[in-house]
Amino acid sequence: MNRRHFALGALSALSASRVMGANERVRMGLIGSGGRGREDWGTFLKEPDFEPVAVCDVYAPFLAKGIAMTNDRAKPFTDFRRLLEQKDIDAVIVGTPDHWHALMTVAACEAGKDVYCEKPLSLTVTDGRKMLDVARKHNRVVQTGSQQRSGSHYAAAVKLIQDGGIGEVHRIQCGYQRNIFPGLKATEMANGKMTGFDYEMWLGPAPKRPFDPFRCIYNFRWFWDYSGGQMTNWGAHHLDIARWITGAPAASTVAGFGGRYALTDGGETPDVQQVTYQFPKVVVTWTVSEVAEGAKGVTLDVYGTKGSMTLTRGGFQVTPEKVGAGKEKTPAMEALSMKGNDLNAAHARNFLDCVKSRKRPNADVEEGHRSAVMCHLGNISTRLGRSITWDAAKEQAVGDAEANAMLTRPYRGPWKLA
Ligand SMILES: NC(=O)c1ccc[n+]([C@@H]2O[C@H](COP(=O)([O-])OP(=O)(O)OC[C@H]3O[C@@H](n4cnc5c(N)ncnc54)[C@H](O)[C@@H]3O)[C@@H](O)[C@H]2O)c1
């Protein structure tokens, strides 16, 4: 990494910290023009005060797609450091795999850019802490790509629950269950050839491995070097909402179970996983199944003494509890429901508004960090086969050196987190 270059970037940053006028355009770059990056790009492109300036990717076909979406208005880059040097960029989207999130977010903050970083915010607990510290140090707006945080029905649900609207809540159950048995296949470069692909720059700080297309585009999720499986993929969404409902920064105890039992596609992360989190007077459970969908696929259920709420991206429904004895049982509350809004549009809008006003965004980096910690601890407990007592203030496992060693990962040189 060229540190001198980042120091120069930091100078240009100062101008971007001012409050912008309502009609001013926010000039943005996209780093990682893959599946989600392009989805984000398309969402931002619909906003009237958005200006697409640059796209960076290390896979030529995806770079071309990101540029084409702007009618060739945006400049192409293959090295994100060059993109971050551009003085006409106010903010970037980080849509790369998880192992790049910290390095790119920190570099962008140091170069004076605001950041919309996809979820899960981090690959490790220490990376997330660094992202939070650097964002605060440089007074940057950093939005985590947890779009539910901008959902009007999610905000209404959290308020209803926290106001006691469904009674006392002591249990939240969430999960992601589907059947992909016996496994997935490479979605790109399936012929094993790296056509238009800079593999070294894709790997970056991750360990050197022989090229295998299945480890790269999209399926990086199932390898520990780059991500954390369904736990950090969908778990980052659902556990973020569960933690939001509890109002607590972290669980005090985490116990995870499971493994990769049935899938034979070469991935590493669990295909069956169950994690239990102890929050103050609330037990949160997270269930993953990649090998059987069962009756309910994606779930987030909040159990209250007066009613139970089912929350999805489409809306929420509250089913009243029946209370009383025998035939005399009556509903403890009215049935309630609410439809959802366009989460992606609302989340992008919130980011642009915050870039202009310098306010904290809905899924501020601190929330993203804390929810990613929840996912990382679930995986660490599962991999160690024992529960973890978590000291949230110190961000350390109590009396467990092995667990604490897993809160961080070495960066492969020359990459290092500043
Ligand atoms: N918020 C959501 O609902 C949501 C949905 C899907 C994915 N995501 C997140 O988005 C991220 C990307 O996932 P995806 O499914 O789009 O993966 P993907 O593999 O389709 O896209 C990642 C892109 O990043 C590029 N890339 C890798 N290293 C790079 C580098 N050094 N410089 C520039 N580009 C680089 C890859 O070439 C690829 O085009 C993940 O963190 C994932 O969790 C979020």
Side-chain angles (χ1 to χ4, degrees), residues 122-133:
S122 62
L123 183 68
T124 66
V125 173
T126 53
D127 276 7
R129 170 50 59 184
K130 184 80 186 179
M131 294 164 89
L132 168 55
D133 289 348

Side-chain angles (χ1 to χ4, degrees), residues 31-40 56-59 62 78-80 94-101 104 116 118-120 145-148 197 201-203 216-221 227 232-233 237 313 344:
I31 306 174
S33 178
R36 181 60 182 175
R38 292 198 306 276
E39 207 174 343
D40 289 335
C56 175
D57 205 294
V58 295
Y59 183 44
F62 283 7
T78 51
D79 185 329
F80 72 97
V94 174
T96 51
D98 314 358
H99 67 285
W100 272 113
H101 288 184
M104 288 172 172
Y116 183 105
E118 266 309 334
K119 50 52 61 180
S146 301
Q147 59 269 30
Q148 293 76 214
F197 186 54
M201 196 62 175
W202 186 93
L203 277 177
C216 299
I217 303 296
Y218 180 81
N219 290 307
F220 65 84
R221 284 165 171 73
S227 189
T232 53
N233 191 38
H237 287 304
R313 284 179 172 168
N344 290 322

Side-chain angles (χ1 to χ4, degrees), residues 82-129:
R82 300 290 88 75
L83 183 149
L84 291 179
E85 278 170 349
Q86 307 304 305
K87 298 214 169 28
D88 57 350
I89 294 178
D90 303 309
V92 292
I93 299 167
V94 174
T96 51
D98 314 358
H99 67 285
W100 272 113
H101 288 184
L103 234 156
M104 288 172 172
T105 298
V106 165
C109 287
E110 289 184 338
K113 319 294 186 199
D114 294 323
V115 184
Y116 183 105
C117 179
E118 266 309 334
K119 50 52 61 180
L121 187 80
S122 62
L123 183 68
T124 66
V125 173
T126 53
D127 276 7
R129 170 50 59 184

